[in-house]
Amino acid sequence: MTKTYIMNGLVEKMQSPDQDFRYMGLNDLLLEIKQDPSSFLGDEATENKVLRQVLALVEDKISEVKNQAVKCLGQLIKIIREPQMEYVVDKLIDFSAGKDEELRDIAGLALKTITSELPPEGKIAQKACEKLTPKLLGQLQNSDTPPETIIETLSILSILISRFPGYLVNLETQPIQVLTPMLSHPRPAVRKRAITTLAQFLPYSQPQQFTELLNTYVVPGLTPSASLEKQRTIVQLVAAVARHSPHQIAPALSEITPSILKDSQRDDEELRESCLQALEALVLRCPSEISPFLSSIIQVGNQYIKYDPNYAGGGDDEDEEMADEDDEDDEELGDEYEDDEDTSYKIRRSATKLLAAVIATRPELLTTIYKEVSPVLISRFGDREETVRLEVWATYGVLLTQTGVYGGSPQSSAEYTVGGKRKREEGMEVEETPYSLLQSQVPSLAKALLNQIKSPKTPAPTLEAGFSLLYKLLNVLPGSLANQSAQIIANAKSVLSTSSRSSSASLQVTCMSFLALFFSKHPPAVYAPQLDSITPFLLQALAEKHPRIASEAFRNFCALLNAMQPVKGGQWVDRVYEEAVRRLSNHDTDAEVRACAEDCVGDLWIAATDIMKTKDRKEWEYICRTTGRTDGAVQVVTKVATRVEIDDAWVNGSVEWVTTLLRKSGRIGKIEAFNCMGALLRRYSQIPADLPANLIPTLKAYVTPADILLLAAALDILSLLLELSPKATFPEVEREVLSDVYGIAYSPLLSGAPFQSVLDFFAALVEADMQIATHVVPNLVSAVEKAPKNEASLPNVAKCVGQVVKSQRAVAAGTIAEFARHLKAGSKAKSSQVVLSLLVMGEVGRFIDMSPQQDIFNQAIDRFTHEQEEVRTAAAFAAGNIAVGNLHHFLPSIVKMVEHNQEKRLLSLYALKEIVTHCSHGQLETVAEMIWKPLFENSENQEETTRNVAAACLGKLTTTQPARYLPQLQNRITDPNPATRATVLSAIRYTFAESPSSFDELLGSVILDFLSLLSDSDLTVRRLALSALNAAARSKPHLIRDHLPTILPSLYKETRVNPDLIRTVQMGPWQHKVDDGLEARKTAYETLYTLLDTCLSKLDLHEFLGHVAAGLADDSDEVKVICHMMLFRLAQVAPTATAQRLDDLTPPLEKSMKGPTVTKDTVKQDLERAAELQRSTLRAVAALSKISQPGASPKFDAFVAATQKSAEWGVEFRELVGA
């Protein structure tokens, strides 16, 4: 069938007198267009015919038909021609301006649908905006337009400006000039809608238009002489503008804010509510400019949170009394004052939200907030309106969260004894910190809150919110509810005694989560008197069918067992054990309940060992299963093996089970299984003789470099077996595994902890059998000589040889003689043999005095001038480490070369670095003076490598005698030679890694002098100063925290791109831009990331966020990735402040998500790098999407919606958000 035939058939249906046919005709058209948009396109006359018929049905008498016609228009607008689009828009505008109210409504709905469905890409949207916007503005200017149409028109303009701001900028009629008069419309609903639309248009208006609006409307509208109506409108406008374009209104706040604070005192409830909402928006969106007014804003918030003119009680004390009275009295009061027209609760709620905004964004005011706001919030815990009450509790929850993040650390003196008195020295004044202030307010807080949740008639959501707040309090201030134990248990009892209907399941889970925390954060003596009354209810919960309730009940008993251990008796112990076994033996048990039951069995064995030893151990049959998830069971067995004295029969069974797990394929859970095996082997009183023979073939499968971590874990178990049962293990190891270990010992893939496992294995092997050492060394050498050159790490082999000699000193002389052969003058050894020999001499010389073999040392020195770099480096390593074995004999000749031998100076410095690195502090103190001066003389060298080696040595020497050498470093800060200043900074950076606390005291007084080089004129010095600051922030944050106000301006300055450091380099026919400041900028951003982790409480987050936002638009991908990581962290520690900036952050994030433009020059690496950047962006956006408030950040919301629908990234994004 042709398209024309189908369309004509549909038109015929749409013209039918039967409403069902008309509806079905539209429905069929809608399905056709959705399946194949081209089915509508073809003959223009037919298209026009269909379109006219759909528009005709917009006027239909049947509402279902009209709504279906509107849906069709939403789809058609995406595909119709330009003249047809104009015709549709004109027709709908005419309808919306007509007299027929119903037609006006449906036309407004159709225009909204069209504007919402317009495709963002392509010309159709631009054309639609150009045609539609002037007509909509014209409708607003027409004095005959009815108010309902004006509201619809304003809504449509809002959709257009939020979706297509770029197409609405260059209009003949300026929208601001049309929208501003709407603020004076007699209908409040029109004014309200106009405020929102105007605020959305302002960010895209000319600056002078906003200035005119400010001077003509806003400032006069806030004066005391202005009418109430006008004041309400203008205050609401200020709030809307603050939300949509804070940068425009921020400069005028010094004029606007005092007026709003004054207006809030006028006797009009709607105006007061609007003022509070405006102040909240200003606190959130204009943080810097609102700062001077914060104390007044807090005052207003405190004033209106108590605003309750219909309650005759009066002051705060009576409020608290009201909260203390019995629930029956509370309810009577509530009934007495309940009034449908009482809207004072809205003011109290807005005041609470205003205080919440201050608390969430102003961590620096925490102490002030605890003094001024916290007592007021506590006094309102019993507000008679439930929505306000919950808002007050939520606000206090925010205060507790902020205290946990920014309040420093809880004072040890703040812990309660059972009697409830704080331990405090007589006459000593305790510094007022957020924690100490919270501690002093806990009694009144707990009293007010517990009174609110004690009544059985309290609604479940309120009870849940109450227990959640108590949970937060205990997390922030452990042990603080000791005095309230009886009331807490009584309240929990009343919650747990209700049946677990699905509606209250969530409440029971919340209540039990809190109880488990309460048990674990207080000593048992606190709740022991009430324990017998609560355990029956917890035991009842254990048997519940609801999995979350049963899981929480098991967690409660785990908390009790851990707190009360050792548990000697108690009927509940047997009951818990029986229920755990019942759950574990049932194959249908929920996975979470099973995991909690396993945990509980482990805790029973640890805390109630004597009781558990009388049982039949059936539980282990059910725990140690080989199918399904075993990770929890492995942890439980590890825990029991580590902490419980248990017989070998149990250990045997568990070892067999873990061996079975290790034989299974796949990697998941294997590291934990190896840890478990280690704990079990240590638990044996005596290792069974047949165990090594049974276990080693299983371990052999892991002795391969395919998975380094599992290899290390397997070698650790082999070492343990060799240590615990050398006679039985050694023959098995020698026969089954040793040849494999020779084959991996030289692998360059092994380093760090995994390689340490190889060394430990050789140490255990040699100690298990004294004869093997003489065979191990030649076998190691033989294995490395057979290996391909690029797959062999000679330093690794040398370390293994060194370890063998260290564990079996008897072979030292033979080993030295064997390797010394290759170093003699006439030797024809290959260079690889020479390198290995030198490395072995270094490894052995470190712990054996080689002064009798002076010729070996001399041969190493002679090779400082060898033509191969590998030999030269190995020679420096050998010389330095041989000197460690006898400093006074060998060191002078190395120092002499540093001072006088230009040719051998760099390698002599490397030798010195080996000495400084491997000598103890005691050894270095005796020779420090000898090497300090020559090291500093070389620091003036322009060669960076030489400088770095010298700096590493100077740093280590400084930590040996800080009082002597730190001042010497400090004196060189002002050295005119930038190379010396650079060395000083590198040296200081090395001291942060390992230095005693006594060094910190000396360093703390001078660290600012070193960091003053952040503003040095030399770029390299600045970069090293940034690096030093980063190291200090990571290792010694306590030394720099109080200096941050001085340091941060210089640090922030380095995050900006400096155009003077960008140069153009000619590369053949291409020009390439090189940014010399990039390395320093990257280090600056890395430092910001470190400060976010270690000095969060000292950062001004609003300023900090500004620099993160700038970094997102940096040309360097590495800087962007660091900023993405910071956003991820900020979303966790400062969600409210970060959420206010989401729309500002969206454009650079969108740009990063777009990926590269593929050209003929694009290579695979470019695409991989771009994909990595996109993934990094995705992680940041996923974290930010969790803190986004609905409707507060439209640009960001649209970006998230588009990302979720993306074919390329949608699935990954949804996984990240769900994680």
Side-chain angles (χ1 to χ4, degrees):
M1 284 191 287
T2 63
K3 293 179 189 177
T4 309
Y5 181 80
I6 295 169
M7 288 298 145
N8 283 331
L10 291 174
V11 170
E12 226 172 280
K13 265 191 183 179
M14 287 188 250
Q15 289 170 340
S16 167
D18 187 328
Q19 66 185 54
D20 291 341
F21 273 87
R22 295 199 299 279
Y23 179 86
M24 287 312 295
L26 288 165
N27 195 50
D28 292 348
L29 175 63
L30 194 61
L31 291 172
E32 282 286 342
I33 300 167
K34 278 186 176 174
Q35 281 171 3
D36 179 15
S38 67
S39 62
F40 174 80
L41 303 169
D43 175 22
E44 192 171 347
T46 311
E47 289 172 27
N48 290 338
K49 191 174 171 187
V50 175
L51 202 54
R52 281 192 167 83
Q53 188 55 47
V54 174
L55 280 168
L57 290 179
V58 170
E59 300 178 75
D60 200 278
K61 289 186 172 58
I62 308 300
S63 57
E64 285 87 351
V65 175
K66 285 193 281 200
N67 287 332
Q68 199 65 5
V70 168
K71 284 182 187 173
C72 281
L73 286 175
Q75 293 302 316
L76 286 167
I77 200 74
K78 299 175 185 178
I79 53 174
I80 56 180
R81 302 164 200 266
E82 200 179 319
Q84 293 167 339
M85 184 194 68
E86 284 183 45
Y87 174 72
V88 171
V89 169
D90 287 344
K91 197 79 176 155
L92 291 174
I93 290 279
D94 291 345
F95 287 163
S96 68
K99 297 274 190 292
D100 182 345
E101 193 178 331
E102 208 173 321
L103 186 57
R104 278 206 311 264
D105 289 348
I106 202 73
L109 179 62
L111 283 167
K112 273 188 191 169
T113 307
I114 285 173
T115 46
S116 302
E117 291 289 344
L118 278 171
E121 284 86 24
K123 288 188 177 175
I124 189 89
Q126 186 177 354
K127 295 290 180 191
C129 292
E130 285 170 5
K131 300 292 176 198
L132 187 53
T133 315
K135 291 188 175 171
L136 292 169
L137 293 172
Q139 210 166 27
L140 293 178
Q141 286 172 306
N142 185 346
S143 55
D144 297 334
T145 309
E148 291 76 13
T149 307
I150 292 178
I151 291 171
E152 287 297 328
T153 306
L154 289 166
S155 300
I156 296 159
L157 282 169
S158 285
I159 295 169
L160 287 173
I161 191 66
S162 58
R163 291 197 69 212
F164 311 107
Y167 302 148
L168 271 67
V169 178
N170 303 315
L171 297 166
E172 281 181 38
T173 312
Q174 285 299 323
I176 304 298
Q177 290 166 359
V178 177
L179 292 167
T180 310
M182 294 285 128
L183 299 174
S184 309
H185 197 281
R187 285 279 288 272
V190 173
R191 293 201 299 272
K192 203 167 186 180
R193 183 67 252 184
I195 286 167
T196 308
T197 310
L198 179 59
Q200 285 174 302
F201 271 89
L202 279 173
Y204 308 102
S205 64
Q206 299 297 322
Q208 67 270 20
Q209 288 181 325
F210 179 74
T211 312
E212 193 182 328
L213 177 74
L214 193 68
N215 297 333
T216 318
Y217 269 85
V218 177
V219 176
L222 292 172
T223 53
S225 57
S227 69
L228 265 178
E229 287 287 332
K230 190 161 191 182
Q231 279 191 343
R232 283 181 201 153
T233 305
I234 297 304
V235 169
Q236 287 166 5
L237 177 66
V238 168
V241 174
R243 289 185 198 106
H244 286 97
S245 53
H247 60 281
Q248 285 182 312
I249 203 163
L253 284 196
S254 54
E255 204 174 349
I256 292 172
T257 314
S259 303
I260 294 178
L261 289 165
K262 270 186 203 155
D263 291 346
S264 69
Q265 303 304 321
R266 282 191 75 167
D267 191 12
D268 178 76
E269 292 200 346
E270 192 183 335
L271 177 60
R272 281 175 179 166
E273 187 188 356
S274 299
C275 287
L276 291 166
Q277 287 171 347
L279 289 170
E280 181 196 353
L282 293 171
V283 165
L284 291 171
R285 305 292 283 176
C286 308
S288 306
E289 293 77 8
I290 201 74
S291 295
F293 305 101
L294 281 174
S295 58
S296 308
I297 288 171
I298 289 172
Q299 220 173 325
V300 168
N302 282 345
Q303 176 191 347
Y304 284 118
I305 197 172
K306 305 174 199 166
Y307 176 75
D308 197 354
N310 296 336
Y311 169 62
D316 292 350
D317 298 335
E318 281 141 51
D319 268 348
E320 284 194 39
E321 280 168 32
M322 180 183 89
D324 293 347
E325 285 166 19
D326 289 336
D327 292 284
E328 288 79 4
D329 296 345
D330 279 350
E331 279 169 34
E332 283 167 30
L333 280 170
D335 293 341
E336 192 180 330
Y337 292 108
E338 193 143 339
D339 182 358
D340 290 341
E341 291 178 15
D342 176 16
T343 56
S344 64
Y345 76 90
K346 291 183 179 176
I347 290 175
R348 297 199 299 280
R349 190 171 61 197
S350 294
T352 310
K353 286 183 173 176
L354 170 60
L355 291 173
V358 174
I359 292 166
T361 56
R362 296 287 172 173
E364 72 276 13
L365 295 180
L366 267 179
T367 307
T368 309
I369 288 166
Y370 267 110
K371 286 181 184 173
E372 296 178 14
V373 180
S374 175
V376 180
L377 284 172
I378 292 168
S379 76
R380 298 307 306 170
F381 271 20
D383 195 287
R384 60 196 179 85
E385 177 64 41
E386 190 175 350
T387 54
V388 180
R389 190 159 64 232
L390 291 176
E391 195 66 54
V392 172
W393 294 3
T395 301
Y396 211 91
V398 174
L399 177 56
L400 291 173
T401 304
Q402 293 292 87
T403 308
V405 176
Y406 300 96
S409 56
Q411 313 296 309
S412 56
S413 62
E415 285 178 16
Y416 269 74
T417 56
V418 178
K421 294 207 175 128
R422 275 178 290 150
K423 304 169 197 160
R424 189 180 279 189
E425 295 291 322
E426 288 287 323
M428 269 181 69
E429 282 192 26
V430 176
E431 184 199 353
E432 286 186 328
T433 65
Y435 277 103
S436 65
L437 291 165
L438 170 60
Q439 185 76 58
S440 65
Q441 293 171 19
V442 164
S444 58
L445 183 159
K447 183 180 175 185
L449 186 55
L450 290 168
N451 277 336
Q452 289 304 312
I453 60 175
K454 72 181 179 186
S455 164
K457 294 176 184 173
T458 309
T462 308
L463 286 170
E464 206 170 321
F467 281 115
S468 297
L469 186 56
L470 287 170
Y471 186 93
K472 274 187 181 169
L473 173 64
L474 271 192
N475 260 329
V476 171
L477 206 60
S480 57
L481 291 172
N483 289 351
Q484 289 76 23
S485 173
Q487 200 176 347
I488 284 170
I489 303 274
N491 286 2
K493 235 163 60 180
S494 73
V495 169
L496 297 178
S497 60
T498 58
S499 66
S500 65
R501 299 182 309 280
S502 57
S503 59
S504 64
S506 171
L507 167 61
Q508 292 204 2
V509 168
T510 306
C511 172
M512 285 197 285
S513 293
F514 163 69
L515 264 186
L517 189 71
F518 179 76
F519 292 143
S520 62
K521 299 287 183 188
H522 293 86
V526 167
Y527 47 79
Q530 292 86 30
L531 202 55
D532 288 344
S533 66
I534 191 73
T535 44
F537 296 101
L538 291 171
L539 288 166
Q540 192 181 320
L542 275 184
E544 278 286 354
K545 284 182 181 174
H546 196 295
R548 286 188 64 207
I549 292 177
S551 301
E552 278 307 330
F554 275 119
R555 287 192 188 106
N556 267 271
F557 283 113
C558 287
L560 275 174
L561 288 162
N562 284 322
M564 295 173 69
Q565 62 175 301
V567 178
K568 296 295 181 192
Q571 191 187 353
W572 59 271
V573 176
D574 292 330
R575 290 276 306 280
V576 171
Y577 171 74
E578 286 158 18
E579 187 56 39
V581 173
R582 186 180 75 77
R583 295 280 189 172
L584 291 169
S585 62
N586 187 346
H587 294 299
D588 298 337
T589 300
D590 178 84
E592 188 187 1
V593 177
R594 183 179 187 85
C596 292
E598 288 171 347
D599 253 353
C600 198
V601 167
D603 289 332
L604 279 167
W605 269 97
I606 292 162
T609 313
D610 295 343
I611 299 171
M612 293 305 287
K613 282 182 177 174
T614 63
K615 307 288 181 191
D616 60 3
R617 300 195 185 175
K618 267 265 190 281
E619 68 274 16
W620 295 111
E621 287 177 31
Y622 306 126
I623 288 175
C624 298
R625 54 184 190 157
T626 53
T627 55
R629 288 187 63 177
T630 54
D631 48 346
V634 169
Q635 284 173 0
V636 170
V637 172
T638 309
K639 194 162 64 170
V640 172
T642 310
R643 297 174 60 185
V644 179
E645 291 287 337
I646 197 163
D647 54 60
D648 285 2
W650 177 84
V651 181
N652 264 334
S654 300
V655 166
E656 281 176 34
W657 172 64
V658 177
T659 308
T660 311
L661 295 183
L662 288 173
R663 285 186 189 131
K664 290 168 82 173
S665 60
R667 187 184 189 282
I668 297 168
K670 289 291 172 67
I671 294 285
E672 292 77 10
F674 275 117
N675 292 340
C676 183
M677 181 64 80
L680 288 165
L681 293 176
R682 286 189 184 90
R683 178 50 64 202
Y684 269 118
S685 54
Q686 187 175 1
I687 300 248
D690 61 341
L691 178 69
N694 295 332
L695 183 56
I696 287 172
T698 305
L699 298 176
K700 179 181 167 70
Y702 293 96
V703 183
T704 158
D707 190 319
I708 301 294
L709 291 176
L710 292 181
L711 161 66
L715 288 174
D716 287 341
I717 298 296
L718 287 168
S719 304
L720 188 59
L721 280 170
L722 284 164
E723 179 193 327
L724 298 174
S725 176
K727 281 187 181 172
T729 308
F730 178 78
E732 294 293 330
V733 168
E734 189 179 23
R735 187 174 68 250
E736 296 276 346
V737 183
L738 192 53
S739 59
D740 294 340
V741 180
Y742 289 143
I744 55 161
Y746 59 73
S747 170
L749 300 173
L750 285 167
S751 61
F755 185 67
Q756 187 58 45
S757 298
V758 176
L759 296 179
D760 293 344
F761 168 78
F762 279 117
L765 181 77
V766 172
E767 281 163 22
D769 183 276
M770 296 300 183
Q771 308 304 314
I772 192 74
T774 50
H775 302 289
V776 172
V777 175
N779 284 339
L780 279 167
V781 175
S782 163
V784 76
E785 283 176 349
K786 289 174 190 167
K789 191 178 178 189
N790 59 345
E791 288 177 23
S793 165
L794 295 176
N796 276 8
V797 176
K799 284 189 176 85
C800 292
V801 172
Q803 183 65 61
V804 170
V805 174
K806 194 173 185 179
S807 302
Q808 181 56 282
R809 298 286 175 106
V811 300
T815 305
I816 292 169
E818 174 61 31
F819 285 100
R821 282 189 309 120
H822 302 307
L823 300 178
K824 288 181 177 157
S827 163
K828 293 181 180 175
K830 292 185 288 188
S831 63
S832 61
Q833 289 176 313
V834 173
V835 170
L836 182 58
S837 301
L838 287 165
L839 292 171
V840 168
M841 290 307 157
E843 293 290 345
V844 174
R846 203 179 298 148
F847 54 84
I848 285 179
D849 180 1
M850 289 179 67
S851 51
Q853 286 100 341
Q854 175 73 39
D855 54 330
I856 296 176
F857 179 78
N858 295 340
Q859 285 155 4
I861 299 292
D862 292 343
R863 284 182 169 78
F864 277 20
T865 53
H866 197 279
E867 67 270 11
Q868 286 188 16
E869 189 183 350
E870 207 180 355
V871 175
R872 292 200 300 273
T873 310
F877 176 86
N881 282 291
I882 289 170
V884 173
N886 188 335
L887 274 179
H888 296 288
H889 184 81
F890 293 113
L891 182 61
S893 53
I894 294 177
V895 171
K896 195 174 175 186
M897 282 191 289
V898 171
E899 287 175 328
H900 305 299
N901 193 328
Q902 179 69 41
E903 191 183 10
K904 294 181 180 177
R905 179 169 295 153
L906 179 58
L907 288 160
S908 305
L909 279 170
Y910 273 116
L912 266 187
K913 188 182 176 186
E914 290 294 330
I915 294 168
V916 171
T917 308
H918 291 109
C919 276
S920 65
H921 274 215
Q923 284 175 295
L924 280 177
E925 280 177 15
T926 60
V927 295
E929 198 57 41
M930 187 195 302
I931 56 180
W932 179 266
K933 193 174 171 212
L935 282 172
F936 241 121
E937 282 168 1
N938 281 286
S939 75
E940 291 162 14
N941 194 314
Q942 290 300 323
E943 173 57 48
E944 192 171 357
T945 319
T946 311
R947 230 173 39 229
N948 285 345
V949 177
C953 299
L954 289 166
K956 180 74 185 279
L957 289 174
T958 304
T959 60
T960 60
Q961 290 179 306
R964 182 172 193 172
Y965 293 122
L966 198 57
Q968 293 190 36
L969 281 181
Q970 191 186 358
N971 292 340
R972 302 268 184 147
I973 292 172
T974 51
D975 193 291
N977 184 347
T980 304
R981 300 199 298 276
T983 306
V984 165
L985 284 167
S986 296
I988 275 295
R989 193 175 85 235
Y990 283 112
T991 66
F992 297 145
E994 40 169 340
S995 50
S997 53
S998 56
F999 177 72
D1000 288 2
E1001 289 166 23
L1002 289 166
L1003 183 60
S1005 58
V1006 296
I1007 193 164
L1008 201 55
D1009 295 347
F1010 290 103
L1011 295 177
S1012 65
L1013 294 174
L1014 282 167
S1015 46
D1016 197 274
S1017 56
D1018 185 84
L1019 178 62
T1020 306
V1021 174
R1022 287 205 304 278
R1023 180 174 60 75
L1024 288 167
L1026 287 165
S1027 208
L1029 173 59
N1030 191 14
R1034 190 178 294 109
S1035 312
K1036 313 264 181 199
H1038 55 283
L1039 296 183
I1040 62 161
R1041 253 182 217 127
D1042 295 333
H1043 299 307
L1044 280 180
T1046 316
I1047 295 167
L1048 282 172
S1050 304
L1051 174 60
Y1052 286 144
K1053 189 180 173 189
E1054 289 302 321
T1055 64
R1056 298 186 196 109
V1057 177
N1058 183 350
D1060 298 342
L1061 295 175
I1062 298 173
R1063 55 197 167 87
T1064 306
V1065 178
Q1066 197 74 33
M1067 297 177 77
W1070 294 283
Q1071 283 193 333
H1072 180 61
K1073 283 193 172 177
V1074 176
D1075 184 355
D1076 292 329
L1078 176 59
E1079 283 306 312
R1081 201 160 68 251
K1082 270 196 312 206
T1083 311
Y1085 274 106
E1086 283 165 7
T1087 309
L1088 287 182
Y1089 181 68
T1090 308
L1091 289 172
L1092 193 57
D1093 261 352
T1094 58
C1095 303
L1096 177 64
S1097 56
K1098 296 290 181 184
L1099 297 174
D1100 176 344
L1101 285 173
H1102 313 294
E1103 189 180 4
F1104 189 93
L1105 267 163
H1107 292 284
V1108 174
L1112 290 173
D1114 199 285
D1115 289 338
S1116 162
D1117 286 357
E1118 287 141 300
V1119 169
K1120 285 179 190 158
V1121 168
I1122 298 166
C1123 291
H1124 294 156
M1125 289 158 66
M1126 284 196 271
L1127 284 178
F1128 188 92
R1129 184 92 181 93
L1130 283 163
Q1132 296 168 326
V1133 296
T1136 311
T1138 311
Q1140 307 312 313
R1141 305 290 288 265
L1142 290 180
D1143 271 359
D1144 304 339
L1145 301 172
T1146 302
L1149 288 170
E1150 275 183 319
K1151 193 177 173 189
S1152 297
M1153 273 312 293
K1154 273 181 184 154
T1157 308
V1158 180
T1159 64
K1160 63 179 191 307
D1161 298 325
T1162 307
V1163 293
K1164 187 184 174 189
Q1165 286 88 330
D1166 293 337
L1167 296 173
E1168 285 171 355
R1169 206 164 42 243
E1172 200 45 57
L1173 177 64
Q1174 286 171 297
R1175 275 201 184 83
S1176 170
T1177 312
L1178 208 62
R1179 284 190 286 273
V1181 175
L1184 294 173
S1185 69
K1186 293 177 186 175
I1187 61 165
S1188 172
Q1189 298 295 317
S1193 313
K1195 282 187 201 166
F1196 181 77
D1197 293 344
F1199 172 42
V1200 168
T1203 310
Q1204 281 174 328
K1205 290 175 191 165
S1206 156
E1208 189 179 359
W1209 298 106
V1211 175
E1212 197 171 330
F1213 181 74
R1214 287 191 292 275
E1215 281 173 7
L1216 285 168
V1217 172

